[in-house]
């Protein structure tokens, strides 16, 4: 894997990056909100400005700011007209809150498998799927993988299903020239504390359908907006949105370098795949740790060794394969969801904005740890 870029201690590398990134523009936005009193307002110019920025960036007509990506998914389903006793298709490997959002409405998840190369819902699983109760499908873009939206949207249209596109992990990603989050009937963003656009908490729901937007507004209106994003949150998000594309590009470049540096480990690490003409966004970067596909305890051993070095790796989602048939319908076998829930290894994004040497040093430690384990 080439010569080691530095001999620094792992803990020094791990602490050499910070999240959120220190940023004078954010400090100025906070100061300005203090001076003009907008920090204490329900609604105002920052929210209006953020809505206009998002409309432009995502080419969508209607934006509803909200308090989290999790509630955003539920609002999106409600906006699409999903009701109690309906069915909603969901990948067997996904963010747990998406399963709960379906349940919160009294609807039932219908699980389909993921594509093991992208970690996202497999469009092939939709073609055979039928069911009169199915109203919508939730499609999440996960860990730098992009779902096959052109195919999924086409299949959903034919069958009369609505598409809720979860872009919480990938703000600014582009697929076939179109922003991710604008492919579905409704798209959802998260502004949670670890997210690439962060206000500590928050989210946004995007749609071109006036009726969907109206339904979400009516549901959220309890004499006041029940799931709000504050003016202060909107104020700190606007400067980040301006920098998003540049930062996404830096992260992409770093991921490409990391992939090159780890390519000799391909027997043990299978990275997420993306098409060369796509522009994914890396909130996390995923590998499948191949030995753990059959022996889950191998991933625990690897993670313990990485954690001992304070390296910024984690696991993926637990997935829904073991959820009982009482809570969901399994539309078919879910082998890839099962496999990825036990083998996914994630690199968290802050290191992707650190200096090149720090990011590449991580791959050397990863190499060392894996070689120790398998030799
Ligand atoms: C794919 C996905 N969807 C939705 C969410 C929920 O976002 P929030 O944390 O803003 O509720 C997350 C959060 O990690 C996520 O990864």
């Amino acid at each position: 894997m080439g010569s080691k870029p530095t001999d620094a201690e792992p803990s020094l590398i791990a602490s050499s990056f910070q999240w959120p990134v220190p940023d004078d523009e954010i400090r100025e936005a906070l100061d300005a909100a203090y001076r003009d009193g907008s920090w204490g307002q329900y609604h105002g110019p920052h929210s209006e400005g953020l809505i206009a920025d998002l409309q432009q960036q995502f080419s969508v007509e209607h934006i509803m700011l909200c308090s989290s990506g999790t509630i955003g998914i539920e609002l999106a389903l409600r906006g699409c007209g999903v009701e109690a006793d309906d069915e909603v298709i969901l990948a067997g490997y996904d963010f747990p809150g998406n399963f709960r959002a379906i349940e919160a409405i009294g609807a039932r998840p219908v699980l389909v498998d993921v594509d093991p190369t992208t970690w996202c819902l497999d469009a092939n699983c939709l073609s055979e799927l039928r069911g009169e109760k199915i109203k919508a499908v939730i499609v999440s873009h996960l860990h730098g993988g992009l779902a096959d939206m052109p195919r999924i949207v086409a299949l959903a249209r034919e069958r009369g299903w609505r598409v809720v596109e979860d872009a919480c992990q990938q703000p600014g990603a582009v697929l076939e020239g179109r922003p991710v989050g604008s492919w579905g009937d409704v798209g959802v963003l998260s502004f949670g504390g670890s997210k690439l656009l962060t206000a500590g908490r928050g989210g946004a729901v995007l749609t071109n359908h006036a009726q969907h937007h109206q339904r979400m507004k009516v549901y959220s209106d309890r004499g006041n907006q029940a799931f709000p994003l504050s003016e202060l949150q909107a104020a700190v998000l606007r400067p980040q949105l301006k920098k998003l594309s540049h930062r996404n590009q830096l992260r992409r470049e770093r991921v490409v370098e990391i992939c090159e540096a780890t390519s000799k480990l391909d027997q043990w690490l299978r990275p997420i795949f993306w098409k060369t003409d796509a522009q994914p966004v890396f909130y996390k970067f995923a590998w499948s740790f191949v030995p753990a596909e059959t022996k889950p305890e191998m991933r625990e051993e690897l993670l313990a060794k990485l954690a001992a070095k304070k390296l910024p790796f984690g696991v993926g989602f637990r997935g829904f394969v073991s959820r009982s048939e009482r809570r969901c319908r399994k539309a078919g076998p879910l082998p890839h969801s099962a496999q990825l829930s036990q083998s996914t290894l994630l690199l968290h994004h802050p290191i992707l904005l650190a200096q090149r040497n720090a990011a590449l040093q991580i791959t050397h430690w990863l190499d060392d740890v894996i070689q120790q384990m398998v030799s």
Side-chain angles (χ1 to χ4, degrees):
M1 294 186 63
S3 61
K4 291 191 177 191
T6 122
D7 288 329
E9 283 297 310
S11 55
L12 288 180
I13 295 291
S15 61
S16 71
F17 54 84
Q18 245 180 298
W19 191 260
V21 175
D23 187 332
D24 284 340
E25 273 197 85
I26 304 280
R27 197 206 318 256
E28 279 160 29
L30 288 167
D31 280 349
Y34 181 74
R35 282 194 306 274
D36 68 14
S38 57
W39 65 273
Q41 290 168 3
Y42 281 109
H43 194 78
H46 301 304
S47 309
E48 291 305 326
L50 180 62
I51 287 173
D53 296 345
L54 292 170
Q55 278 168 325
Q56 199 196 8
Q57 177 140 350
F58 287 87
S59 303
V60 288
E61 213 170 315
H62 307 284
I63 308 272
M64 182 165 163
L65 302 177
C66 62
S67 51
S68 70
T70 303
I71 196 70
I73 295 288
E74 185 185 326
L75 292 172
L77 290 170
R78 292 187 186 278
C80 287
V82 173
E83 292 175 353
D85 293 331
D86 287 336
E87 289 187 325
V88 176
I89 302 165
L90 182 69
Y93 176 93
D94 200 350
F95 175 66
N98 292 354
F99 192 101
R100 295 286 292 118
I102 300 169
E103 288 188 320
I105 298 176
R108 189 171 158 83
V110 178
L111 301 182
V112 297
D113 211 6
V114 287
D115 177 335
T117 68
T118 63
W119 273 244
C120 300
L121 187 145
D122 185 351
N124 291 319
C125 297
L126 297 185
S127 33
E128 300 302 314
L129 191 54
R130 294 284 183 282
E132 281 181 9
K133 289 185 161 189
I134 299 175
K135 201 54 151 303
V137 49
I138 298 178
V139 189
S140 301
H141 302 283
L142 298 178
H143 314 330
L146 290 170
D148 183 354
M149 292 312 290
R151 223 172 129 223
I152 292 171
V153 168
L155 285 163
R157 292 269 175 283
E158 276 169 25
R159 289 157 179 74
W161 305 331
R162 299 294 184 197
V163 178
V164 171
E165 186 183 11
D166 179 342
C168 289
Q169 294 198 357
Q170 298 211 34
V174 177
L175 181 65
E176 297 196 3
R178 189 166 158 179
V180 157
S182 72
W183 282 88
D185 292 286
V186 186
V188 180
L189 302 175
S190 163
F191 306 135
S194 63
K195 295 296 191 311
L196 301 178
L197 290 172
T198 179
R201 293 274 174 186
V205 194
L206 290 49
T207 184
N208 279 315
H209 298 275
Q211 195 192 13
H212 296 3
H213 183 65
Q214 183 60 18
R215 279 202 203 105
M216 294 189 274
K217 271 174 53 184
V218 168
Y219 178 75
S220 307
D221 185 354
R222 317 274 163 100
N224 206 331
Q225 155 60 300
F227 316 104
L229 187 91
S230 73
E231 267 295 275
L232 189 56
Q233 287 173 299
V236 296
L237 284 163
R238 294 193 70 196
Q240 295 176 63
L241 199 55
K242 279 196 285 173
K243 294 177 180 158
L244 182 66
S245 162
H246 174 63
R247 288 185 179 161
N248 281 344
Q249 179 60 25
L250 292 178
R251 283 185 277 259
R252 254 192 306 275
E253 285 167 14
R254 207 57 89 234
V255 162
V256 169
E257 288 166 356
I258 288 173
C259 283
E260 276 164 17
T262 50
S263 62
K264 293 206 181 99
L265 293 172
D266 62 359
Q267 214 181 326
W268 294 288
L269 287 179
R270 182 171 57 74
I272 208 150
F273 165 84
W274 66 96
K275 289 187 182 158
T276 46
D277 61 346
Q279 289 171 266
V281 159
F282 296 100
Y283 161 64
K284 312 255 183 186
F285 178 70
W287 291 271
S288 174
F289 182 46
V290 177
E293 291 178 2
T294 45
K295 292 186 190 152
E297 64 281 6
M298 292 288 282
R299 183 178 67 170
E300 305 326 310
E301 191 185 330
L302 173 65
L303 275 159
K305 289 183 191 303
L306 294 170
K309 286 183 179 287
K310 298 196 168 51
L311 297 178
F313 290 92
V315 297
F317 298 127
R318 292 175 69 172
F320 313 123
V321 173
S322 54
R323 294 273 158 106
S324 81
E325 295 278 345
R326 191 179 50 79
R327 292 179 71 184
C328 57
R329 168 158 84 88
K330 291 172 188 158
L334 304 167
H336 302 305
S337 304
Q339 184 184 299
L340 294 180
S341 59
Q342 63 186 39
S343 69
T344 299
L345 177 70
L346 297 176
L347 178 64
H348 196 36
H349 67 84
I351 192 72
L352 302 176
L353 289 184
Q355 291 197 344
R356 183 170 181 273
N357 267 4
L360 289 184
Q361 181 73 56
I362 293 248
T363 66
H364 282 275
W365 278 308
L366 187 59
D367 184 31
D368 285 350
V369 168
I370 291 179
Q371 298 296 353
Q372 276 171 29
M373 277 178 72
V374 296
S375 60

